[in-house]
Amino acid sequence: MRKVLRGLVGVGLTADQHGVLYSLTLGTVRRLNTIDFIIARTLRRSRLDTLAAERRAALRLAIYECRWGGSRLSRAVEAYFPDDTEMARVVRRAQGLDLDSATAHLLLANQLSIKCSHPTFLVETLLGHLPEEEVRELLKKNNDRRKHYLRVNQFRARNNDDIIGHLRELGAKIVPDPDIDGLFQVVENAQKVIDSQYFVDGDVMVQDKASVVTVKALDPQPGEVVWDACAAPGQKTELIWELMRGEGRLVASDVHRQRARDAKERLDRFGCPGVQWVHGDASTALVRGADRVLIDAPCTSVGMVQSHPSFKWRLNRRALLNLTTVQNKILTGIVKAYSGCPDTVFVYSTCSLLPQEGEWQVDSLLRTFDIELLDPGCTGDPGYAGFECSQYVRRLFPHRHETHGFFIAKFRVGS
């Protein structure tokens, strides 16, 4: 799709044109299954998968621009299909399609999947744990632009006011977050922050509120031994070290060697020395004797579809099974190794809306080990109802908390 757009605007793109290209691509990916459903209803003599790749991409983009991008039908047809009367007719038919009528015969999960642009499996799962109206709100919120948050890197620039003031002078509208001291909401012009030298140099870190909440739940203290068990790309690692004031021992590990190297280089460049990086499988309990352990496990990342809509189209039952198996292996390996260490505090988190990656995993631990669940002491709501751990864990939702979708559990292992 980006190739099609580059062909329309030319090769020497301005910053504004890059922004438009990114926005259109992101929007089209966000609405992909809805657009493809519309095409299937209007293409008639052909199937979408029989079209040449660039023609298919152009058709998707044209429909997105007409139905969600605010473009006039004539403008979209002229821009994408000036000499292709067949595709121009498809775009015109697509513009007039009534989605409510076209999906009225479908089951509720399928209706919401098409109308709200989410995989049916995800919709079915959410409907099993949330009221229908709230599921609609959540899916709608997932299709909106994310809210950006930032914090000042205390290893490089300790004066928050000066940097925040300079970013405001650049045109970014920034306000303090009401829940977390030192965290700021970027209300308008987040790109001004990302384009600034402060961001390039690492003076400010753009980090979602849910990610910060997770580290706050861990509550690392100066002088402790802390293990960040699935650490790359290292944003949580950096904040842990900040809260430790660079005192004690922080070990960050990752199963992917290059990701661990990249994270170490990034943190060193951003003025965060002293973190020990290790390459290895967390399920083997690489670090023993830690006071606190963060297990921010690999997951489907469907809590991040506001900023990365492609993540939802990768979701299927096989991928979920593979990831939950990895999560269980990591949790079981670490907890087993720390049996008899009742003073160690663990936080398990995933950037996911799925109970399979949250409540199911914690309940499995409770059935297998002597686990004491702790109050995470952070913002958020209780977990999905019906699980043993429900009242002890936390969930954050885009539509409730203006964050990524996140799951957080805090516990100790019995003696």
Side-chain angles (χ1 to χ4, degrees):
M1 284 184 281
R2 292 191 181 188
K3 183 178 180 181
V4 172
L5 288 167
R6 288 193 188 97
L8 294 175
V9 299
V11 292
L13 303 183
T14 65
D16 286 344
Q17 287 171 331
H18 271 293
V20 170
L21 184 151
Y22 176 78
S23 179
L24 287 175
T25 303
L26 194 70
T28 303
V29 172
R30 182 172 282 133
R31 302 281 184 177
L32 191 60
N33 74 328
T34 310
I35 293 170
D36 284 357
F37 175 84
I38 292 171
I39 292 174
R41 285 302 190 97
T42 55
L43 199 53
R44 294 184 180 176
R45 287 182 294 179
S46 303
R47 294 199 322 267
L48 182 62
D49 59 5
T50 65
L51 299 180
E54 288 190 25
R55 203 178 185 207
R56 182 167 63 242
L59 184 56
R60 286 168 167 164
L61 286 161
I63 291 172
Y64 171 77
E65 283 213 55
C66 286
R67 293 191 71 113
W68 293 280
S71 292
R72 295 191 307 273
L73 175 62
S74 58
R75 181 222 170 263
V77 169
E78 179 62 28
Y80 291 99
F81 300 112
D83 302 312
D84 191 334
T85 55
E86 180 185 358
M87 289 297 101
R89 282 195 295 269
V90 173
V91 176
R92 292 189 179 95
R93 288 196 296 266
Q95 178 68 349
L97 182 71
D98 183 348
L99 268 180
D100 288 335
S101 299
T103 59
H105 66 288
L106 300 176
L107 296 174
L108 177 60
N110 299 97
Q111 286 184 27
L112 294 180
S113 173
I114 297 299
K115 294 166 68 174
C116 300
S117 304
H118 281 72
T120 303
F121 170 64
L122 176 57
V123 177
E124 288 173 339
T125 302
L126 292 173
L127 286 170
H129 297 279
L130 295 171
E132 178 187 334
E133 285 309 309
E134 188 164 10
V135 172
R136 291 179 183 272
E137 290 178 24
L138 173 54
L139 301 181
K140 180 180 177 181
K141 188 67 175 179
N142 273 348
N143 288 328
D144 289 341
R145 291 185 179 182
R146 62 178 284 200
K147 176 169 283 187
H148 287 81
Y149 295 87
L150 68 82
R151 57 182 179 82
V152 176
N153 178 356
Q154 299 301 307
F155 289 113
R156 286 185 58 90
R158 298 182 183 274
N159 192 325
N160 289 7
D161 292 341
D162 285 352
I163 288 184
I164 297 302
H166 291 156
L167 290 172
R168 286 170 175 156
E169 290 173 3
L170 292 175
K173 185 177 180 181
I174 301 171
V175 300
D177 182 80
D179 301 316
I180 300 177
D181 186 42
L183 187 67
F184 297 86
Q185 299 179 8
V186 186
V187 180
E188 292 178 9
N189 293 333
Q191 194 62 41
K192 297 291 185 182
V193 175
I194 295 169
D195 291 339
S196 72
Q197 198 62 40
Y198 293 111
F199 178 76
V200 173
D201 293 340
D203 295 318
V204 295
M205 317 287 281
V206 175
Q207 185 171 7
D208 188 72
K209 182 175 179 176
S211 176
V212 176
V213 168
T214 301
V215 176
K216 294 288 187 178
L218 183 68
D219 193 27
Q221 300 296 311
E224 291 183 331
V225 177
V226 179
W227 176 25
D228 188 355
C230 306
Q235 280 192 312
K236 295 183 186 71
T237 314
E238 195 276 342
L239 181 56
I240 291 170
W241 200 222
E242 275 192 24
L243 296 179
M244 294 175 69
R245 300 175 193 161
E247 300 172 12
R249 181 182 177 217
L250 174 57
V251 182
S253 67
D254 200 90
V255 71
H256 301 287
R257 186 186 300 274
Q258 191 57 51
R259 279 169 55 85
R261 285 176 176 170
D262 292 344
K264 181 183 186 306
E265 290 176 4
R266 180 174 177 271
L267 264 62
D268 287 347
R269 189 170 70 253
F270 289 172
C272 182
V275 178
Q276 179 185 351
W277 282 88
V278 177
H279 166 245
D281 183 350
S283 69
T284 64
L286 299 165
V287 180
R288 307 295 176 95
D291 297 298
R292 299 177 195 268
V293 180
L294 174 61
I295 309 169
D296 186 47
C299 67
T300 58
S301 299
V302 293
M304 300 174 61
V305 298
Q306 272 188 307
S307 51
H308 300 284
S310 63
F311 288 171
K312 61 186 175 184
W313 306 127
R314 301 175 191 171
L315 178 64
N316 56 58
R317 295 179 190 276
R318 182 185 294 275
L320 178 61
L321 177 61
N322 290 339
L323 284 164
T324 54
T325 301
V326 171
Q327 292 158 9
N328 183 262
K329 180 183 176 184
I330 291 172
L331 281 168
T332 301
I334 292 176
V335 169
K336 186 175 182 179
Y338 273 82
S339 293
C341 302
D343 294 329
T344 301
V345 174
F346 300 85
V347 166
Y348 168 70
S349 63
T350 55
C351 185
S352 176
L353 298 165
L354 300 172
Q356 293 93 329
E357 301 185 277
E359 291 86 353
W360 285 24
Q361 297 289 0
V362 176
D363 274 12
S364 176
L365 285 182
L366 289 170
R367 290 190 298 267
T368 309
F369 298 97
D370 180 14
I371 299 292
E372 177 192 3
L373 291 174
L374 305 173
D375 184 350
C378 61
T379 188
D381 292 331
Y384 293 130
F387 295 91
E388 188 176 350
C389 66
S390 298
Q391 294 304 310
Y392 297 92
V393 300
R394 293 289 182 275
R395 277 206 170 273
L396 292 99
F397 294 94
H399 68 297
R400 293 184 190 173
H401 307 106
E402 293 287 352
T403 69
H404 287 155
F406 242 78
F407 174 86
I408 302 170
K410 187 173 184 177
F411 61 92
R412 284 195 179 98
V413 181
S415 58

